[in-house]
Amino acid sequence: MAEPPRKRRPVVAERRYSNPTKPSGKTPRGKSGRRAPVRRGNAVSRGVTGFFRLIWRAIFGTIWASILTVFLIVGLATFYYYSQLPEASALFDGRARGGVTMLDREGKVFAWRGETYGNVAPDQIAPSLRNAVVATEDKRFYSHLGVDPRGIASAIKINMAEGRGPLDGNGGSTITQQVSKLLCLGETFDPTRWKDESEYEAECRTTSLWRKIKEVPFSFAMELKYTKDEILGIYMNRSYLGGGARGFEAASERYFAKHASEVSVAESAMLAGLLKAPSYFAPTSNIERAQDRAAVVLDLMHEQDRITDAEYEKAKANPAVLSQAAQARAGGYFADWLMESGPGFLTTETTEDVTILTTFDQKVQLAAERALKKIFDEKVREGSKAEAAVVVLSADGAVRAMIGGRDTVVQGVFNRATQAKRQTGSSFKPFVYAAGLDQGMTPDSIINDGPLTINIKGGRPWSPQNYTRRYYGDVTMATALKQSLNTATIRIQEQAGRASVLRIAEEFGVGTDLPNVPSLGLGVFDSTLLEMTGAYAGIRNGGRAVRPYGVVELRIRGEDSPMIAKSGGMGQRVISQQAAANLISMMRGVIQGGTGTRAKLGERDAAGKTGTTSSYRDAWFIGFTDQFVTGVWMGYDDNTPLTGVTGGGLPAEIWQAVMTEIHEGLPMEPLGRFVGDEGSRIGDGVAPSVRGDDALSSALSAALTDMQGDSPSAPAGQPVVSGSGEPLADALSQALGQPAPQQQQTQTQGGPPRSPETTVSSTEARRGVTNAPESAQNDPLSDILRGIEGVN
């Protein structure tokens, strides 16, 4: 049976071709049923697109990898710095050297040297001072994590707008970043790497991209390690604020004489303003500039609501001013002298903070400065380069004031009072007369002032002349000194012996290695004003050497006992009290009717001596009252001769003006009391302790007691002198079983043997010169006790 024919599938043409008018809206699918990708463009365009997609994916991946790497590095660096950071308080003081604070005789601060520092805890800082620092340096300090991107971006924008590099000028650093810079990113000073501390600090302050990057993890570490107040405490203790002050405590004391916890709003603004440029805005450099900067800080504080309207108005109306001591800035020369003369390990090179109680008197210093300025303003032509120096001592050698030049507000400059060695001229003559008086001459002894020629072995004959080019014949010693006669002085020198003059001068402290030449008595050698004034103090004190001193005691801060106590003051006896009394009487005549009449102090008892070198390059006046010994020098630094100036001229007038100022309100005391500040006579005060039960110690104690209470009184204006013998010497003799020594006055005609190198010829015979050799004391006990007060 035949199968029925199959139906053929009709061929539908429209399935081959899409209907353009009726899109199906379906995407063709592959064998798996997925939608087949729509391929646009040709193979080239698809290849380029794929390539860039690959690049982007690589870059994107690299960026993420870099970010993750940076975070990892910063995290590791932060952890490293965190582990190295000590307690916050250990970072407050970063100085390699200590500072020196000097107190005057009343215990008030008057000078600082080195970098002074005062540790202060964050909670001991006045709130207004903390607010001023935050307002000025980092207003978002309490909200950021150590780095402020907004601040950095703003600083870069400002720098570039002003034509600077992005990192030049404003840095945008937070307080935390500034602390990291102060800490030098944890690096300590290494002398093998840096030449000195200045080079070390300069590198720490260098602003570079790499150091800015390193500041970031260090700042994060500090934010993790410390509280905000601790970070602020480090910043406020380590910051340099000008004037040698490190930290806000030292700056508060330096400028306002108060602690950082006590400063006012106006003072806080001025202190915070110093952070921008400490030396430039320091109020001791320019108070008006410092006040202008403080006004800017006040505006910032007010804008940020850190002070009230009332506080703002009050501070604006009453800007901060310096303390009295900071304004005066007195004692620069004195402070420099102490730093130079003291031991380096406790002054210029100290690694500890040192406090020195000194002999300095600010009132005397300022009075002396006023007097000096007045004379130069009134008596010296404008534009003159002439200089002057002044030293004021108490009678015991305590330096009360020192002026080393006309510019008195100084630090670290040439000090003409201590560093300038100048020819002494006639101011040396009292030591020649001291030698004669100590050998038995008296003020009434006759000496010839006539032509004199000294033949010098191997050299030309030398003939001194008087200033007036006249000779006065036979004169008394008192007249010779009063009129400063040269030929008479040289005769006394040659008769007393140059060796004796040299010994006396050197023991009084005039200098060392003085020349043994005929012109010695006319002051042909150099000395400093401080040395000469100290030597005159020895005359004032009855013939006992006086060593000028400025230190009463020196302490390491925090220590109970001083490292150094008083060094100086009364020394050994050089000439007898009788000789000193006569010399003072003769020097009194210099002021009353001699070459120094311009130095008269009215009714006040005073004595002194003028001095002028032969070439008029130096002019001196040195003298004393009961209270003070003052020396004045005047001249040019380049040794140009002075025009019309002698020691009895401007130097005497300066001396008179200074002494008038510093004696204001002091009683009229006569000369003749031979100790110093206490105003007591020689032997008064506390006697040296002598212990033991033997006869010698008992005799010593009795003699010293006798010297304290039973000394004969002196008439007004005359020194106390011993009678037939010193009490101590008598007591010693009795204890040793020897007769008491008696003073001998042996008058001889002529003088001691002359040196074979010189001979003296004169048209006049010498008359009336009395020489009394000193009593010989050759026993060992006398030599040992020679330095005790009262032993000749």
Side-chain angles (χ1 to χ4, degrees), residues 341-632:
S341 58
F345 69 95
L346 289 175
T347 53
T348 55
E349 300 173 4
T350 179
T351 57
E352 302 283 350
D353 285 317
V354 173
T355 300
I356 304 177
L357 178 62
T358 74
T359 61
F360 185 70
D361 190 316
Q362 294 193 59
K363 294 178 182 178
V364 173
Q365 176 74 26
L366 294 175
E369 290 177 2
R370 285 195 303 269
L372 179 65
K373 185 178 184 301
K374 177 183 178 183
I375 294 299
F376 268 87
D377 288 346
E378 296 177 356
K379 301 295 182 74
V380 179
R381 63 178 174 81
E382 187 176 354
S384 171
K385 300 297 183 182
E387 282 290 351
V390 180
V391 171
V392 180
L393 311 179
S394 288
D396 69 338
V399 180
R400 299 302 186 202
M402 181 180 290
I403 302 175
R406 290 171 61 181
D407 186 3
T408 57
V409 183
V410 296
Q411 177 177 334
V413 300
F414 183 66
N415 188 341
R416 296 164 187 84
T418 62
Q419 295 175 309
K421 285 190 169 290
R422 308 293 297 218
Q423 200 171 95
T424 60
S426 295
S427 63
F428 180 75
K429 288 178 180 176
F431 306 104
V432 175
Y433 288 78
L437 293 168
D438 201 46
Q439 294 184 17
M441 288 179 164
T442 70
D444 295 327
S445 295
I446 302 300
I447 194 76
N448 179 255
D449 181 65
L452 174 66
T453 298
I454 298 180
N455 297 315
I456 303 173
K457 184 178 180 180
R460 299 175 57 185
W462 177 69
S463 299
Q465 292 183 325
N466 290 325
Y467 173 77
T468 61
R469 299 295 190 270
R470 296 174 51 197
Y471 298 104
Y472 297 87
D474 290 343
V475 295
T476 62
M477 282 187 68
T479 299
L481 183 62
K482 181 169 68 174
Q483 301 300 331
S484 197
L485 302 180
N486 291 339
T487 53
T489 299
I490 297 302
R491 278 197 170 87
I492 296 172
Q493 169 189 282
E494 296 303 301
Q495 292 170 14
R498 268 181 249 152
S500 178
V501 175
L502 286 167
R503 177 191 65 80
I504 287 172
E506 290 181 353
E507 289 184 6
F508 269 130
V510 171
T512 57
D513 298 325
L514 302 182
N516 188 345
V517 294
S519 55
L520 168 69
L522 303 186
V524 295
F525 59 91
D526 296 337
S527 186
T528 68
L529 179 62
L530 181 62
E531 289 174 343
M532 290 294 291
T533 309
Y536 272 58
I539 298 171
R540 150 71 182 82
N541 272 318
R544 289 186 59 192
V546 171
R547 180 184 174 189
Y549 69 99
V551 175
V552 176
E553 65 177 31
L554 182 150
R555 293 177 184 268
I556 302 295
R557 181 177 291 182
E559 297 290 336
D560 294 331
S561 57
M563 289 283 292
I564 295 177
K566 171 183 170 182
S567 58
M570 307 294 290
Q572 67 181 4
R573 177 162 298 286
V574 179
I575 60 175
S576 68
Q577 289 185 20
Q578 184 64 61
N582 288 334
L583 184 56
I584 291 171
S585 176
M586 293 163 62
M587 294 172 69
R588 184 186 287 114
V590 173
I591 292 178
Q592 294 302 317
T595 58
T597 54
R598 293 191 190 182
K600 281 184 180 179
L601 298 175
E603 298 300 318
R604 190 176 296 276
D605 196 10
K609 182 68 183 75
T610 58
T612 310
T613 60
S614 58
S615 301
Y616 299 95
R617 291 186 172 91
D618 302 279
W620 306 67
F621 191 92
I622 310 174
F624 45 81
T625 61
D626 181 73
Q627 291 94 342
F628 295 109
V629 184
T630 298
V632 175

Side-chain angles (χ1 to χ4, degrees), residues 751-766:
R754 302 187 186 92
S755 170
E757 288 83 4
T758 63
T759 59
V760 180
S761 61
S762 172
T763 56
E764 298 288 342
R766 293 179 300 277

